[in-house]
Amino acid sequence: EVQLMESGGGLVQPGGSLRLSCAGSGFTVSNNYMTWVRQAPGKGLEWVSVIYSETSSYYADSVKGRFNISRDKSKNTLYLQMDSLRAEDTAVYYCARLRSAELVFDYWGQGTLVTVSP
Amino acid sequence: EIVMTQSPATLSVSPGERATLSCRASQSLGSNLAWYQQKPGQAPRLLIYGASTRATGIPARFSGSGSGTDFTLTISSLQSEDFALYSCQQYNNWPLTFGGGTKVEIK
């Protein structure tokens, strides 16, 4: 059974950093397109970042230059390093597998809450 | 960036009734549209992709239609477990974008 489990969320001050983790089971994280999607309180879903391979990753304009996506093959885990955090980054962050053929999110984690506040 | 607009924002429906949700794209998507269901405190679940193909395990009461810029999700007879937030997502262009969602609530 495919499962994703995020961790690492919490309260951080503006300008601070946080690293989110997403442990996968039932499939190989490094062989799949993996993404982060966030949802601000009361708002819709927003795609944040995708990693295709160790040399191919892309970001939403709202986080470009501040966030970095990566993965560890040995741990079957996806990461999101978030620097220079802003209040508008406050959201539940989900990791999700992106089906490569149709670019739809077929498996999701339960999410981890990131709150950016003084 | 393709903007996705869903209507209505909230839909009040009685159990057993039909629900019709709309999603409009700012430019043509062909059939590159998906629908997700999300219950409070839970992750989204893929319902429909390719505008009309049900994902694995999705009941037949959920159906999708449309192409180009206008799409519809229909729930033929609402069950108690169907009251949730529904979001559409386009995958015709990067960045992948979602609509703001339609909340289906009990009337």
Side-chain angles (χ1 to χ4, degrees):
Chain A
E1 180 189 6
V2 171
Q3 289 190 329
L4 294 164
M5 179 67 71
E6 302 94 338
S7 61
L11 175 63
V12 62
Q13 293 188 339
S17 297
L18 213 54
R19 188 177 83 154
L20 306 182
S21 300
C22 171
S25 60
F27 76 110
T28 303
V29 167
S30 60
N31 290 347
N32 285 268
Y33 291 11
M34 296 299 298
T35 69
W36 290 95
V37 177
R38 68 185 180 183
Q39 187 170 36
K43 302 293 186 181
L45 297 161
E46 179 189 18
W47 167 75
V48 172
S49 180
V50 62
I51 184 166
Y52 297 143
S53 71
E54 304 330 298
T55 57
S56 294
S57 57
Y58 299 93
Y59 301 88
D61 286 346
S62 57
V63 306
K64 200 173 296 182
R66 301 187 297 121
F67 289 13
N68 185 68
I69 191 171
S70 63
R71 52 194 178 187
D72 186 326
K73 188 173 184 177
S74 66
K75 296 181 178 178
N76 208 37
T77 297
L78 177 74
Y79 300 101
L80 186 68
Q81 176 67 40
M82 305 186 294
D83 298 323
S84 304
L85 283 161
R86 306 167 180 168
E88 55 264 35
D89 296 318
T90 295
V92 174
Y93 284 73
Y94 297 99
C95 65
R97 190 176 80 171
L98 188 67
R99 191 183 294 175
S100 58
E102 295 98 3
L103 298 183
V104 296
F105 304 91
D106 60 357
Y107 289 97
W108 299 67
Q110 286 302 301
T112 187
L113 176 62
V114 172
T115 303
V116 185
S117 180
Chain B
E1 173 174 318
I2 296 177
V3 177
M4 306 300 294
T5 303
Q6 291 186 244
S7 61
T10 304
L11 186 61
S12 298
V13 185
S14 299
E17 288 189 341
R18 182 187 193 95
T20 302
L21 290 66
S22 294
C23 176
R24 177 166 289 178
S26 61
Q27 57 185 269
S28 181
L29 306 179
S31 295
N32 295 326
L33 183 102
W35 290 93
Y36 299 85
Q37 177 194 66
Q38 187 178 18
K39 297 179 182 178
Q42 296 186 19
R45 176 175 73 147
L46 177 65
L47 295 176
I48 301 280
Y49 62 94
S52 61
T53 302
R54 281 189 301 277
T56 303
I58 302 303
R61 63 180 182 273
F62 291 92
S63 63
S65 63
S67 65
T69 61
D70 290 297
F71 300 86
T72 300
L73 174 70
T74 302
I75 312 171
S76 59
S77 177
L78 272 157
Q79 306 298 302
S80 57
E81 63 266 30
D82 300 336
F83 292 95
L85 178 70
Y86 292 84
S87 300
C88 60
Q89 175 234 330
Q90 68 80 20
Y91 53 97
N92 197 61
N93 289 85
W94 286 94
L96 306 180
T97 50
F98 294 86
T102 291
K103 180 182 178 182
V104 177
E105 64 176 24
I106 300 175
K107 187 175 183 180

